[in-house]
Amino acid sequence: MPLVQVAVLHELGPGQLTEISVGNSTYAVANAGGNIFCVDGICPHAGGPLGQGALQGEMIVCPWHGFEFNCRTGVNDSDEDLILDRFPVVIQNNTIFIDVPK
Ligand code: FES
């Protein structure tokens, strides 16, 4: 899969969450305490934009109805069978890339 540039490291500081679109897909990229994670950006509940939600510790909170997903594991906080796809993150030259299908 090709690397897609997300941001320069300092643009996504600890506690920040962003959304990136690649082709027809949307991803949520989170900086949880200095560790960067990438998960599917579409909430499996009803399609909410997870990358526009809030990041609380490692939990991404969907802006539509408040479902919470761990950005490290992709797992929902109340239904462990509800899991977001996760994608590799690569840091090169202080720049964040995600390794996603194009
Ligand atoms: S769409 Fe995400 S919680 Fe409902």
Side-chain angles (χ1 to χ4, degrees), residues 43 45-48 62 64-67:
C43 181
H45 175 228
C62 181
W64 283 7
H65 314 102
F67 277 36

Side-chain angles (χ1 to χ4, degrees), residues 1-7 20-23 27 29 38 88-90 95-102:
M1 291 188 282
L3 293 180
V4 176
Q5 184 171 332
V6 175
I20 182 164
S21 295
V22 181
Y27 303 93
V29 182
C38 177
V89 171
V90 176
T95 304
I96 303 165
F97 297 87
I98 54 176
D99 192 355
V100 298
K102 242 184 184 168

